[in-house]
Amino acid sequence: MRGVTGRLMLLDTASLYFRAYFGVPESVKAPDGTPVNAVRGLLEFIDRLVKDHRPAHLVACMDADWRPKWRVDLIPSYKAHRVAEERPAGPDQEEVPDTLSPQVPVIEAVLDALGIARVGVEGYEADDVIGTFTARATGPVDIVTGDRDLYQLVDDARGVRVLYPLKGVGTLQITDEAWLREKYGVDGGGYADLALLRGDPSDGLPGVAGIGEKTAAKLLAEFGDLAGILAAVEDPRARLTPAQRRRLTEARPYLAVAPKVVRVAGDVPLPEVDTALPRAPRDPEAVEAIGERWGLGGSLRRLLMTLGA
């Protein structure tokens, strides 16, 4: 992170290449017939993001562990429905489309050859890497993700916003605190509490029975944060319905561990990397070889031109 001045753009890489995979036809193939729709789609995403937002620094954040054991130990259902194969040593295998898995090493190789910083840390998700880069940043930060969990990092005072793709990356929801307050009734700091109260089936988080998004937002507006809500449960004068008080009491074991699971880490041991947006490829020969081998064509050429502009 040394020498990071100017706008930092953090890519939730897996979130973006999944979107590219489903957004670009599988008929986009390498010369040998291997689908490269996720690779080409991601390169086009990055090209558009750099053109439109001109970051000074760019990091492709990776899931070194998409389902960390320390989260599963706290909430065993965490992402359990997405496990393709349990592995006693190392991360469980995630359920990924058969034609996407072989494209991930190609994505990693082309990013490395271009010189775009790529960071994953053992035992942590990309969200945690993003959270730590954001915590350490001294300038404005753009987080590009299709995962609303990262709304918790939005902070107007520090210039941290989330760019959420609505259609490709040409149409982005620019998520700041005003948008969050209008949509959810909370600011960035309150979003994690809202999420854990509401629950999230896509992540295997049960939430509190009977407390949906609107009720969670009302409780947070009334009592400030999760700690304030739990204090209200113990206060007979607090304005809670009997059903809310009962449900929150019953959910105490979950609420004791959920914050650590839902909140992204801000203290990941990041490696020293050069985050500066490359103006020329780190390894031009490798870029040429990868482009030819995988038929990356105009997607790669356009990105090279944009980086050099």
Side-chain angles (χ1 to χ4, degrees), residues 22 31 70 80 83 87 94 105 110 113 141-142 159 178 183 185 205 210 221 243-244 251 277 286 293 295 298:
F22 289 109
W70 56 272
V83 175
R87 292 173 172 166
E94 185 177 11
V110 74
V141 180
D142 283 342
K183 176 77 173 171
L205 296 171
Q244 288 169 351
L277 185 73
R293 162 73 180 83

Side-chain angles (χ1 to χ4, degrees), residues 3 6 29 32-33 86 91 113 143 181 183 186 199 206 238 257 259:
K29 294 181 176 178
D32 68 357
E86 290 189 7
I143 298 163
R181 281 191 291 270
K183 176 77 173 171
V186 296
V257 296

Side-chain angles (χ1 to χ4, degrees), residues 273-298:
V273 289
D274 181 4
T275 61
L277 185 73
R279 294 299 174 196
R282 177 184 293 152
D283 188 339
E285 288 180 8
V287 169
E288 189 175 344
I290 292 166
E292 191 172 328
R293 162 73 180 83
W294 297 104
L296 301 182

Side-chain angles (χ1 to χ4, degrees), residues 7-301:
R7 185 170 297 280
L8 169 65
M9 178 172 280
L10 301 170
L11 307 181
D12 182 5
T13 313
S15 160
L16 296 178
Y17 66 60
F18 264 92
R19 283 184 173 239
Y21 175 81
F22 289 109
V24 178
E26 212 169 285
S27 56
V28 175
K29 294 181 176 178
D32 68 357
T34 306
V36 288
N37 51 330
V39 186
R40 288 188 62 156
L42 181 66
L43 293 175
E44 286 163 12
F45 279 2
I46 295 172
D47 176 50
R48 183 68 184 262
L49 288 163
V50 172
K51 268 185 186 144
D52 289 354
H53 300 281
R54 288 288 161 194
H57 300 264
L58 179 67
V59 183
C61 302
M62 313 295 290
D63 283 317
D65 189 340
W66 68 281
R67 188 176 182 246
K69 184 177 182 300
W70 56 272
R71 282 193 166 104
V72 177
D73 286 346
L74 294 169
I75 299 181
S77 63
Y78 182 67
K79 294 186 178 179
H81 60 295
R82 284 154 56 182
V83 175
E85 181 190 340
E86 290 189 7
R87 292 173 172 166
D92 292 335
Q93 186 177 333
E94 185 177 11
E95 207 168 71
V96 175
D98 290 345
T99 51
L100 173 57
S101 294
Q103 297 188 55
V104 177
V106 183
I107 287 167
E108 294 174 344
V110 74
L111 291 175
D112 291 350
L114 286 167
I116 292 172
R118 185 172 65 82
V119 179
V121 178
E122 189 176 345
Y124 293 97
E125 299 176 56
D127 286 11
D128 303 310
V129 173
I130 289 168
T132 304
F133 270 113
T134 301
R136 294 185 186 179
T138 55
V141 180
D142 283 342
I143 298 163
V144 188
T145 180
D147 182 353
R148 291 182 178 90
D149 291 345
L150 288 166
Y151 286 172
Q152 64 184 274
L153 297 175
V154 169
D155 185 339
D156 287 0
R158 295 188 58 230
V160 180
R161 59 188 189 168
V162 167
L163 310 184
Y164 184 91
L166 298 172
K167 188 178 179 184
V169 291
T171 308
L172 296 168
Q173 168 60 57
I174 309 296
T175 306
D176 58 11
E177 290 191 333
W179 188 88
L180 282 177
R181 281 191 291 270
E182 185 179 337
K183 176 77 173 171
Y184 298 106
V186 296
D187 57 14
Y191 188 82
D193 285 346
L194 178 88
L196 66 88
L197 286 164
R198 172 195 65 198
D200 186 349
S202 69
D203 279 343
L205 296 171
V208 178
I211 293 185
E213 192 166 278
K214 288 181 180 175
T215 304
K218 284 178 185 170
L219 290 172
L220 290 167
E222 176 82 17
F223 303 111
D225 56 15
L226 179 61
I229 292 169
L230 292 175
V233 172
E234 303 302 318
D235 180 358
R237 297 165 301 172
R239 288 186 293 182
L240 288 168
T241 69
Q244 288 169 351
R245 200 180 293 274
R246 186 184 74 253
R247 285 166 175 157
L248 287 162
T249 300
E250 289 168 352
R252 268 194 178 278
Y254 163 75
L255 293 173
V257 296
K260 187 168 173 59
V261 175
V262 173
R263 289 176 188 148
V264 302
D267 56 356
V268 173
L270 297 176
E272 276 295 333
V273 289
D274 181 4
T275 61
L277 185 73
R279 294 299 174 196
R282 177 184 293 152
D283 188 339
E285 288 180 8
V287 169
E288 189 175 344
I290 292 166
E292 191 172 328
R293 162 73 180 83
W294 297 104
L296 301 182
S299 305
L300 184 54
R301 280 197 303 275

